[in-house]
Amino acid sequence: MSAVTLSTPLRTALGGKANTLLDKHLGLQTVRDLLRYYPRRYDVRGELTDLARLAIGDDVTVMAEVQTVTGRPLPYRFHHNGKPKHLLELMVTDGQQALRLTFFNQQWRQKELKPGVRGLFAGRVREFRGKRELSNPQYTLFDADSDAETVDSFAGTFIPIYPATSEITTWQIGRCVRQALDLLGELPDPLPPEILATHGLMDLRGALEAIHRPNSREQIAAARDRLTWDEALTLQVTLAQRRASAADIAGVPRRGGGGLLTAFDAALPFQLTGGQRVIGTELADDLAGEHPMYRLLQGEVGSGKTVVALRAMLQVVDSGGQAALLAPTEVLAAQHYRSIVAMLGPLAEGGMLGGDEQATRVVLLTGSMSVARRRQSLLDAAAGSAGIVIGTHALLEDKVQFAELGLAVVDEQHRFGVEQRAALTDKAGFTPPHVLVMTATPIPRTVAMTVFGDLDVSTLRDLPEGRIPIQSTVVPAAERPDWLDRAWRRVREEVEQGRQAYVVCPRIGGEPESAMQEEPPGDGSESPSRAPLAVAAVAAQLTAGPLDGLRLFILHGRLPGDEKDDVMQRFAAGEIDVLVATTVIEVGVDVANASLMVVMDAERFGVSQLHQLRGRIGRGSVAGVCLFVTDAPAGSRARERVDGVAATADGFELARLDLENRREGDVLGAIQSGRRSSLKLLSVLRDEEVITQARTAADTLVTADPALDKHQALSVAVAALVSTEQASYLDKS
Ligand code: ADP
Ligand code: MG
């Protein structure tokens, strides 16, 4: 047999039986897969597992000592086919807590399961008569001289406990791992020697040995460091190669020069901020380049991303191309349409009497538009008479065609799936368009470098001048009901001064319990047990009580599209005083005269949601006030989160707070939908330093050796990463 390598199929290395078990239950197919199936924890020989922590429903493996054993026949009604049933009941202990184990018709186990014997017991925890138990658990015992495997399994002090299932136990996995380690031939190291030396990392074989058969905690830690590096470097090399090959793809340069942008700039009623100017130049250069732009623009809420994007769109129109702007909601698409048409003025009246000579046409395309208007928009997009096409996901449908799509702008990216972005890109035919992705939710550096590793990033930090900071206050309604009364009086005062207010609720109302929220909070809120407050109910209460006489309207996602649009327009026109809404207003809505926001049940929203919501006010030159109403008790995690948002308006600071409040999977899950099966140790929460160093190292490597000809082992590891399902998300992001 040829030597076993990491790429050897498990069937060849370990035989059909082991392969079936590992593939079927754990999805492992090669020696690499198996050896990268790391222990979840290590038990120390002689130390028992803390039984207090076992949760009902978990598949667990515990090290415990048998305390009592009782065997008895079951009453006649449990007999089967005339054969008596026997119940063997054990209590095992960790020295403090006890756990019940039960076996049916297995009297013979009494011979080996004796009081004082220690072993590993595996099964699913269930509750029976108020006590936790494992029913028919699998087990393996220490010092049971009858079982040779057992002796082999527990040769060391540290016993690796693998993530197991009810079909395969940790010691079965461990046995396969040890067998594979013993068979493994020469093992080329994917990490170049310079990297090992610079970062003081152990070699691959040493690391695999140490993580599966450690002799000390220090060894385990060193092995994890090294194997974390493997993941970081392979990922970064993949992304570096992708960046390098993107730089080879030909795009259509859009150098501008048609006069539309110049005319727009001349008519702009304000000065661009420093950041807007710098990023404007970056985008202009990208668009003029030979390769498609692929850039992420992240900017503080209210920092003026729309103008930046619009100027880029105008440059493309000036070069004979079209631009598409994709918004996450109809409300936002319609608003973008109105504000862009307003900003452009006569420049948006192409082909119309009174329109400017340079003018283009801007069209809107959403699902709820009338058939006639839709048809006209489709025609304008396909014929090229519309320079700018604004829409929701309706833009992605097959029947939408562009004459010459040069730039796709995706606003508020966090609401968009990667597939949708890809579909938009496809509309440009064979030559990919330039792509600008915008987000007001700052993306932590580590996430930007992993999930968005092949995008260039621009960051807009400064706000337009003259903005007065928003004042945020937490209103603990349960403790201080008088504060809530004051909040409503405050709404009246604002309205009396000619200004407007939002009241935001977590729920629409009138729907079944299961559909309670339009958008679940991003970070696992802990809420009081009552149902979340609903738009309909709150609006009714306010009209009947504290806000009686004010022009109060509601807005939520279930209203028909034209009604939503109508309400939004009237709010923008100042014909509505108070808008009671769900998070439909969360992103992008821009009404400068709205100065006050009251968020009900604030603890039910995630950190970035609250920040986004708050960004709807204080957009003009009046001071904004945001009141976070909550019943969450002082000191609770939910309350701390709300307090945290109230305490700072810095989106980047909040992004960090948000990250701390989430679990790893949520962070990646919120941003991309792919499974992260190839990242086992690397954490975007903890491993910023490794990610940064690996990125630099990857750039150096790929620049010097683009095809990795001189780094064969690394090249193989990269290929393995790319071939996993993980690659599908890397491709699209
Ligand atoms: P966001 O970055 O949150 O999308 P917007 O693009 O909606 O922000 O801009 C917020 C508001 O600020 C808009 O009303 C816009 O017209 C205005 N604005 C943008 N840039 C400037 C500027 N340089 N000076 C003054 N107002 C600006
Ligand atoms: Mg915006």
Side-chain angles (χ1 to χ4, degrees), residues 270-273 276 301-306 464 467 590 619:
F270 47 70
Q271 291 272 313
L272 294 176
T273 63
Q276 284 173 323
V301 174
S303 59
K305 293 184 290 296
T306 316
R467 292 278 167 81
D590 185 26
R619 298 179 79 82

Side-chain angles (χ1 to χ4, degrees), residues 520-581:
D523 54 359
S525 58
E526 310 141 52
S527 296
S529 50
R530 71 167 164 72
L533 292 171
V535 166
V538 168
Q541 250 174 33
L542 292 176
T543 323
L547 301 186
D548 170 35
L550 302 190
R551 294 171 300 176
L552 183 148
F553 282 74
I554 63 173
L555 184 69
H556 57 71
R558 284 215 311 271
L559 291 178
D562 46 355
E563 202 174 324
K564 270 190 291 207
D565 206 34
D566 184 53
V567 170
M568 240 4 261
Q569 280 193 54
R570 293 173 61 188
F571 189 68
E575 293 163 19
I576 291 174
D577 300 320
V578 179
L579 198 59
V580 183

Side-chain angles (χ1 to χ4, degrees), residues 12 134 136 212 256 292 316 325 358 372 464 568 628 648:
T12 318
L134 305 180
N136 287 319
H212 293 294
V316 169
L325 171 57
Q358 320 280 1
M568 240 4 261
F628 295 123
T648 176

